[in-house]
Every structure is written in C-alpha cells, then in structure tokens.
C-alpha cells in the first residue's frame, strides 16, 4: 500500500511503515482495515503527505493471503517490509502521475512494527542491496520477547498477544509442542482469541474475552526451556551502522519501559548510533496518537536523516561508550 499527496510529483523520499499487531488471521491485514493507519503516528502522517514523502506500508506474510502469519519472526517481517518498498517503486500508476520513489528509505514501526523495523535494517544489506536504509524509528518496539511474554502474561492485552504467539508458533515450530504446554482453558482461549483482529471491534471483543480467562495463556513453566530459547532468538537487535531512534511511552503497560531501558543499555556498543527517549504519561497506543509529542520529534528526526545529518530529538539519551 502506497500513500502520496495528490499534488506530489518528481522523486519522493520513502517512509517504509511497519504496522503494529493487527492479528494473525488473514482478514487482519492492514490493507483490509477501514483505517489502515489507525495505529500509526496520525499527525506525523499528515505532515509526511504535506512534506512530499511517500508512505509504503506492507501486509505481513499470511495477512491478506493464506497463512500462517509468522508473528514476531524478524526475517519474515523484514522481507515483507523490503518487498513492499521495492515493489512500490515499480508501480506504473505512480509513474503515470510523474511520481518516482527514491532508492533510500527511513523505516518506521510501532510495537510489532518496531520489532520489524529493526529487523528490516538488519536484513536490508543482503536482501535488498540497492535500497539504502537511512535510519530507523522504532516506537515501543517488541524487543526482549521472553521478558515481554512473561511481563504481560496476566493482563488482558497480554493474553491476546500470547494467544497470537501460541497460534502462530504452533504452526511454525511444531517441535516446540506449544499446544501440549497449554491447559485446557488456555487452549480454548487461544482458539477463541486468535480469531480476533487486534483493532476496532475485534480488539474490544478480544479484551472482553481475555478478561474472563483467569490464568495466563503461557505459564512460566510453558515459557521455559526451548520456547524461551526461540523467543530469545527472535528478539530484536539494533543493527550496526544505522541511526536508530527508540521512542517509548513512560506509562506503557504492554511494552514495559524497564524492558526498553535495558534493551537500549545492552545495545549501546561502541559503534552504535542510538537515541532513546521516553514520553511522560503515555501508554502504548497514546504514544503514537495524534496528540503525542512523538509526532513532531519523529518528523524532525526523519528530516535530519533525509538531509544526511542525523540528529536525535532533544532530551534523548545517547550511547556514550
């Protein structure tokens, strides 16, 4: 899916947008929703269009097509983002309007999309060598997957996320025996919750259903051993050589700030170019809401990348090693 201003002409810089969790069923595809950018930085999107940037958004594998959707699998997410960006540059309807997409991109992503954005930069050199990634903006990214799965296990939203992991990974990693690790009640909950999309009425239905389950989908025992190892293997890294802005809501109850601070600290290698900024009082979705201060910072950071002079938002904590 490509979005450009009606008046746009010439060669446009590209924002590759990796969306947050929509679900694991085919009907949960971003492009099939009535408001595709409803979990994106809405105010920043308007600024993008006014500023003459093209926004390219992907449907991940298994969403809008036959499944399974490889939920929180870095390579699958990255290839989907890169494929969409490369394909968008070949669209004849844009060419007929006198619009071309540039060979450079800034990757944005929120939540699952933050996980995808970090993976995209890591994979780009080998998978799409002709596409230049200028930098990454990862907003409340799902980084340390073992910690994420354990920290939200008892919350309604966390049970939905856990059901998506269980449903997807039970197909992707049959040797893990995830279904066998579930209790009868949690197995029934996975079958029910995984059918809902995590947007609109589907999210409300899922939250109501999850609140009636009085145990985690994945217990501490279920998260041990081989499943823990696979969760860790699919966790995020900050790829070397790319400016990466990590934005986090200080009141986030899904992706915890404590997890993000540790991820930032552990990612600060000597050659890292990372800026980390917490936004006071903002939970997971308000971080990317229309009233969030993130919008202005995100646009300024992206402008700096496009100008070849990366500058992190004021107040960001920078790597100092």
């Amino acid at each position: 899916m490509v979005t450009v201003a009606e008046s746009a002409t010439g060669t446009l810089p590209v924002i590759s947008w990796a969306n947050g969790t929509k679900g694991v069923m085919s009907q949960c595809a971003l492009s099939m929703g009535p408001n595709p950018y409803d979990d994106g930085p809405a105010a920043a999107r308007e600024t993008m269009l006014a500023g003459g940037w093209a926004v390219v958004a992907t449907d991940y594998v298994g969403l809008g097509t036959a499944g399974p959707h490889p939920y929180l699998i870095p390579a699958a997410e990255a290839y989907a983002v890169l494929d969409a960006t490369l394909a968008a540059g070949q669209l004849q309807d844009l060419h007929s309007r006198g619009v071309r997409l540039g060979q450079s991109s800034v990757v944005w992503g929120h939540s699952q999309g933050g996980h995808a954005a970090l993976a995209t930069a890591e994979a780009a050199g080998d998978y799409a060598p002709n596409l230049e990634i200028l930098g990454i903006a990862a907003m409340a990214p799902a980084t340390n997957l073992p910690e994420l799965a354990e920290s939200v296990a008892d919350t309604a939203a966390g049970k939905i996320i856990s059901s998506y992991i269980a449903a997807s990974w039970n197909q992707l990693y049959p040797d893990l025996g995830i279904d066998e690790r579930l209790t009868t009640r949690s197995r029934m909950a996975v079958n029910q919750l995984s059918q809902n999309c995590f947007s609109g009425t589907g999210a409300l239905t899922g939250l109501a259903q999850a609140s009636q389950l009085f145990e985690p989908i994945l217990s501490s025992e279920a998260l041990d051993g081989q499943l823990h190892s696979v969760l860790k293997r699919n966790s995020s890294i900050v790829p070397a050589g790319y400016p990466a802005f990590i934005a986090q809501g200080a009141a986030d109850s899904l992706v915890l700030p404590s997890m993000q601070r540790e991820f930032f600290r552990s990612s600060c290698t000597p050659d890292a170019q990372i800026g980390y900024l917490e936004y006071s009082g903002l939970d997971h979705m308000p971080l990317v809401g229309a009233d969030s201060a993130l919008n202005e910072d995100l646009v300024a950071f992206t402008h700096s990348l496009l100008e070849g002079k990366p500058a992190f938002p004021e107040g960001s904590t920078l790597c100092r090693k």
Side-chain angles (χ1 to χ4, degrees):
M1 186 169 63
V2 184
T3 306
V4 300
E6 289 291 335
S7 59
T9 58
T11 301
L12 305 181
V14 177
I15 306 301
S16 297
W17 169 245
N19 62 275
T21 296
K22 293 293 189 184
V24 294
M25 297 292 110
S26 180
Q27 69 269 19
C28 300
L30 177 79
S31 63
M32 297 176 71
N35 300 299
Y37 296 101
D38 62 359
D39 69 343
R45 176 175 171 267
E46 298 306 317
T47 305
M48 280 191 291
L49 294 179
W53 306 346
V55 187
V56 177
T58 183
D59 287 332
Y60 299 124
V61 174
L63 301 182
T65 60
H69 167 49
Y71 185 55
L72 293 174
I73 305 298
E77 294 170 339
Y79 297 161
V81 173
L82 292 167
D83 283 342
T85 304
L86 294 170
Q90 302 174 31
L91 291 176
Q92 291 302 313
D93 61 336
L94 289 181
H95 295 174
S96 66
R97 292 171 49 189
V99 174
R100 295 290 188 276
L101 302 190
Q103 291 298 302
S104 60
S105 171
V106 178
V107 187
W108 291 7
H110 173 241
S111 196
Q112 178 190 4
H115 182 266
L118 293 166
T120 297
E122 175 70 10
D126 290 331
Y127 190 79
N130 293 327
L131 180 66
E132 180 186 15
I133 302 298
L134 301 178
I136 312 147
M139 300 155 245
T143 48
N144 185 329
L145 297 188
E147 184 175 345
L148 176 64
E150 189 162 355
S151 66
V152 301
D154 291 316
T155 69
K159 290 170 187 175
I160 294 173
I161 298 303
S162 297
S163 78
Y164 291 163
I165 293 173
S168 173
W169 289 25
N170 197 49
Q171 297 180 73
L172 296 172
Y173 299 110
D175 291 347
L176 290 179
I178 291 177
D179 192 59
E180 299 167 9
R181 296 168 179 253
L182 305 176
T183 67
T184 300
R185 288 178 180 172
S186 62
R187 187 178 298 110
M188 291 174 60
V190 168
N191 292 337
Q192 184 180 51
L193 293 173
S194 64
Q195 299 301 311
N196 296 317
C197 299
F198 200 50
S199 59
T201 57
L204 296 176
T205 300
L207 290 169
Q209 293 170 341
S211 67
Q212 300 304 307
L213 177 66
F214 301 108
E215 62 183 64
I217 296 288
L218 296 167
S219 65
S220 296
E221 293 77 13
L223 289 167
D224 281 344
Q226 191 178 4
L227 177 55
H228 181 279
S229 298
V230 177
L231 284 163
K232 187 171 183 178
R233 188 170 75 229
N234 287 316
S235 293
S236 296
I237 63 170
V238 177
Y242 298 96
F245 172 43
I246 301 172
Q248 174 68 35
D252 197 323
S253 56
L254 185 60
V255 175
L256 300 183
S258 57
M259 182 188 78
Q260 217 65 275
R261 292 177 206 130
E262 176 56 27
F263 173 70
F264 168 71
R265 187 201 64 77
S266 63
S267 299
C268 276
T269 57
D271 58 347
Q273 304 174 59
I274 311 172
Y276 175 72
L277 183 58
E278 287 187 14
Y279 291 81
S280 178
L282 295 185
D283 205 337
H284 194 65
M285 294 309 299
L287 175 67
V288 292
D291 297 328
S292 174
L294 167 65
N295 289 302
E296 185 176 345
D297 289 343
L298 185 56
V299 169
F301 173 67
T302 303
H303 271 303
S304 75
L305 294 175
L306 295 173
E307 293 166 0
K309 301 176 182 178
F312 294 102
E314 184 176 353
S316 297
T317 302
L318 307 178
C319 290
R320 300 294 186 189
K321 291 190 177 183

